[in-house]
């Protein structure tokens, strides 16, 4: 059973998809032009060592190329990291993406999902999470977290990381949504990868750069033993040529990046303010491009009613620790956001 | 250590690459146009169930969609098949592609490469191969074979398959180069997949359709238990959206297919006739788009001399059972083929 957003293919492909958290600007003009111009390169195999791709990622993140591993989406790196790190237990900060536990299952590792979100404080209790982690473990944290949208400040992650070090444990940090915080200095641990050998930070171009279909994820890690294992725990040519080409363009597409920041800044306020006014919908603040909402009626009823408006939302299935009275909605363009807000109002108000 | 052709990235990217067996027509105009037209689809995740992609493959091969599995190149399906089929020993018909044994290694299975090519008869001895296969095994056969180029007729594969059935063994048949035979009725076992539950036929768009960088492979198998395991032994969204789009176009691009058949028919004769005349180079007949050549001098010397002509060939490294006095060269366009032949003549004749 697949528990994922974005599975519009089971519905009408023209459905308004709030279940998947992709940048609504989609594929940038610059990338489209680059791909069209360089389509002949696709005849050849990509470089089996992905040198240029790794150099591009390294330049984007100001790290060394030998710290970079690349894969078929963030999920590929997560699976390969979980199976490569020589620890048998996996502790997942929950609620979280179902692929973390699936990666543990596939590697035959025992996993524990620690529900560390304090719903009253609307924040993660990192100390509580830390107290529940055993020695010699793999720790998986998503920051900003999916599905809550909440980002944890660097200082708190550093504390977890130091504690993990003492426990001889390794931290996998999924920063897939980090660019949407618009404040990487405050939240991202990429620069700490230069100092900690028990940390891998994983990212992708999927969400922020609006190219989920291109399949490009990457990891940054100082520990060369782990990188070697992750590299060897793959099939040749895992990353396609279009993904390689995209790495030449998107990280430096400042127009697209700026436009996206302006959009997320304004639309996240707009959606928050409007949904907070709807009785029966408790919306949580977000640092990302989606909102978790606590609802009085069940998510099934909400989904059913919104489907009449051709709107798809993300139900909490697959997120451990979330009852059926939660939904997740993406932040989209103004017109779409208005449609969602209006549909919620018309179905649930008055 | 990677033993593969096509690694032009270690050389000059403009090198004349005879080491990789890709259709020299490259990416078809029709596919380029389709990709450009549908680039916006890449913003979304591909269908996690790949329904349309599987339907396309099924229609191309006249099999049922539920018999089709898809992956990130043929090599992805090979790895997943080897690890999914519940047998602990792998028998590989050699000489063969190094990824077969690597897939066995990665699954922790014991493997045996049976050198079954009779160099005097210039053909595979299938009975010899069969005699060496133990019960309860996975059998891997590449047809047409890489690196020899030799295709084995259906009747002989059927005999192997019946024998495998008696031995409670499972056959993985890699037909990556089958379209180049221009006689699938004589060689392909795809239609037998409807009757044998111990057979998976694996193919890709890589070689014949000139799109190695797009990463699309597929398997056809009647056995639903095995298909289920192969499907579950994957990460979500393994196949990118460009590969999905390509499946809407390439299998029915008759102009490209016809052009390719005419080219391979004429150029394979041209290369064979010309290289057979060069003393010290014994060229083997091929059913594919590359030739194995036995050489009096070592492949290192040949490679070194041809690099001066900006030509890259495939040395036998990684092919068990081939001495260093073999090389493999792709069939390319007439101008390139002439350059190879002239370079060989100028370096090794007179």
């Amino acid at each position: 059973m697949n528990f994922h957003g974005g599975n519009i293919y089971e519905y009408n492909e023209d459905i308004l998809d709030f279940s998947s958290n992709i940048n609504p600007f989609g594929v940038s003009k610059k990338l489209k032009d680059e791909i069209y111009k360089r389509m002949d390169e696709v005849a050849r195999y990509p470089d089996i060592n992905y040198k240029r791709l790794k150099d591009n990622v390294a330049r984007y993140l100001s790290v060394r190329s030998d710290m970079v591993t690349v894969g078929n989406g963030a999920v590929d790196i997560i699976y390969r990291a979980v199976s490569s790190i020589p620890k048998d237990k996996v502790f997942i900060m929950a609620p979280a993406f179902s692929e973390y536990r699936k990666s543990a299952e596939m590697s035959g590792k025992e996993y524990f999902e620690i529900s560390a979100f304090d719903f009253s404080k609307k924040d993660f209790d990192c100390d509580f999470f830390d107290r529940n982690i055993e020695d010699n473990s793999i720790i998986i944290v998503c920051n900003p977290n999916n599905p809550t949208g909440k980002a944890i400040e660097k200082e708190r992650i550093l504390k977890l990381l130091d504690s993990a070090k003492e426990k001889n444990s390794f931290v996998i940090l999924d920063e897939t949504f980090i660019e949407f915080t618009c404040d990487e200095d405050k939240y991202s641990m990429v620069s700490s990868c230069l100092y900690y050998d028990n940390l891998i930070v994983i990212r992708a171009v999927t969400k922020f750069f609006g190219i989920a279909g291109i399949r490009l994820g990457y990891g940054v890690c100082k520990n060369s033993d782990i990188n070697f294992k992750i590299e060897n725990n793959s099939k040749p040519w895992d990353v396609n040529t279009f993904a390689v080409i995209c790495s030449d363009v998107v990280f430096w597409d400042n127009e697209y990046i700026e436009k996206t920041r302006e959009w997320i800044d304004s639309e996240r306020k707009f959606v928050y303010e409007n949904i907070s006014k709807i009785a029966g919908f408790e919306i949580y603040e977000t640092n990302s491009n989606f909102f978790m909402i606590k609802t009085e009626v069940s998510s099934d009823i909400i989904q059913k009613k919104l489907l009449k408006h051709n709107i798809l939302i993300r139900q909490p299935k697959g997120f451990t620790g979330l009852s059926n009275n939660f939904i997740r909605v993406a932040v989209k363009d103004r017109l779409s956001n208005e449609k969602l807000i209006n549909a919620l109002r018309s179905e649930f108000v008055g």
Side-chain angles (χ1 to χ4, degrees), chain A:
Chain A
M1 185 65 197
N2 285 309
F3 296 124
H4 289 292
N7 202 359
I8 54 172
Y9 306 92
E10 288 180 9
Y11 299 89
N12 163 9
E13 283 195 33
D14 292 326
I15 202 162
L16 203 46
D17 180 22
F18 280 88
S19 77
S20 183
N21 308 319
I22 308 293
N23 186 335
F25 291 118
V27 186
S28 80
K29 174 80 173 60
K30 211 170 248 177
L31 177 57
K32 285 182 190 177
D33 290 346
E34 187 76 6
I35 285 177
Y36 194 64
K37 214 168 62 193
R38 293 167 59 183
M39 201 98 71
D40 284 326
E41 290 179 27
V42 180
R44 310 192 299 227
Y45 280 96
D47 173 11
I48 202 162
N49 300 310
Y50 294 107
K51 186 180 176 316
R52 198 180 71 226
L53 172 51
K54 289 179 184 175
D55 287 348
N56 283 335
V57 170
R59 186 152 68 95
Y60 173 53
L61 299 180
S62 303
V63 295
R64 296 191 319 271
S65 294
D66 65 359
M67 296 169 69
V68 177
T69 46
V70 295
N72 190 358
V75 76
D76 180 31
I77 307 271
I78 292 165
Y79 273 66
R80 282 158 57 196
V82 168
S83 86
S84 299
I85 298 164
K87 315 273 177 198
D88 297 331
K89 277 178 273 186
V90 181
F91 287 82
I92 300 163
M93 185 185 260
F97 191 41
S98 56
E99 292 301 327
Y100 302 145
R101 60 172 183 269
K102 278 163 88 179
S103 68
E105 276 170 358
M106 215 190 217
S107 307
K109 303 195 177 189
E110 201 180 358
Y111 68 85
F112 306 87
E113 292 185 292
I114 311 293
S115 290
F117 193 71
D118 184 329
F119 288 86
S120 65
K121 292 189 178 159
K122 298 188 172 181
D123 195 1
F124 281 93
D125 187 336
C126 291
D127 293 331
F128 172 81
F129 179 61
D130 190 26
R131 281 198 301 279
N132 281 279
I133 294 166
E134 296 173 19
D135 286 5
N136 294 307
S137 301
I138 296 169
I139 299 161
I140 306 184
V141 174
C142 183
N143 195 35
N145 172 266
N146 172 18
T148 64
K150 182 73 192 172
I152 303 169
E153 303 74 21
K154 229 165 160 169
E155 295 68 36
R156 294 199 286 157
I157 302 277
L158 276 168
K159 225 177 125 189
L160 263 178
L161 197 53
D162 285 324
S163 170
K165 187 95 194 153
E166 277 171 35
K167 290 179 184 170
N168 197 25
S169 293
F170 200 103
V171 176
I172 297 176
L173 195 59
D174 179 351
E175 292 193 352
T176 309
F177 294 98
I178 199 86
E179 285 101 335
F180 289 114
T181 63
C182 300
D183 196 352
E184 291 180 48
D185 282 348
K186 187 169 171 189
Y187 299 109
S188 175
M189 294 290 289
V190 159
S191 60
S192 299
C193 289
L194 292 159
Y195 310 103
Y196 285 83
D197 64 359
N198 66 329
L199 170 67
I200 180 168
V201 172
I202 294 173
R203 292 195 182 184
V205 299
T206 305
K207 316 283 185 177
F208 188 81
F209 294 104
I211 34 179
I214 214 165
R215 313 309 299 132
L216 174 60
Y218 47 92
V220 180
C221 178
K222 185 196 175 194
N223 188 320
S224 55
D225 284 350
I226 297 296
N227 284 339
F228 181 81
K229 282 181 184 141
I230 291 175
E231 292 273 313
N232 274 273
N233 191 359
S234 76
K235 298 151 195 164
W237 313 294
D238 254 348
V239 177
N240 71 82
T241 299
F242 292 107
V244 176
I245 292 173
C246 115
S247 78
D248 288 334
V249 178
V250 296
F251 300 133
W252 298 278
D253 191 346
N254 291 327
E255 199 187 317
Y256 186 91
I257 293 170
E258 222 24 75
K259 188 171 73 172
T260 299
R261 284 191 179 147
E262 281 167 24
W263 152 77
I264 191 66
D265 191 48
S266 105
E267 286 314 300
R268 142 163 98 187
K269 279 186 199 125
F270 179 78
V271 172
Y272 183 83
E273 282 167 14
N274 280 280
I275 295 189
S276 357
K277 288 179 198 150
I278 304 175
F281 290 81
E282 186 186 357
I283 186 165
Y284 286 68
E285 281 191 57
T286 188
N287 302 103
S288 193
N289 64 330
F290 54 85
F291 283 102
M292 183 171 77
I293 304 171
K294 193 174 176 190
T295 58
E296 268 173 23
V297 293
S298 82
S299 76
D300 301 308
I301 291 172
I302 295 170
Q303 180 63 95
K304 203 174 154 195
K305 292 199 174 193
L306 290 178
L307 278 177
K308 288 191 297 180
H309 299 257
N310 203 33
I311 286 173
L312 186 67
I313 51 141
R314 180 68 164 87
Q315 293 190 244
K317 285 170 191 147
F319 289 116
T320 301
L322 280 197
S323 78
N324 201 19
N325 284 53
F326 283 91
I327 60 170
R328 193 193 69 191
V329 296
V331 178
K332 294 178 75 78
D333 59 286
R334 176 62 58 100
L335 188 67
S336 302
N337 295 335
E338 282 176 343
K339 281 186 186 165
L340 172 69
I341 292 159
N342 290 335
L344 287 173
R345 279 191 194 129
S346 79
E347 292 292 338
F348 300 100
V349 177

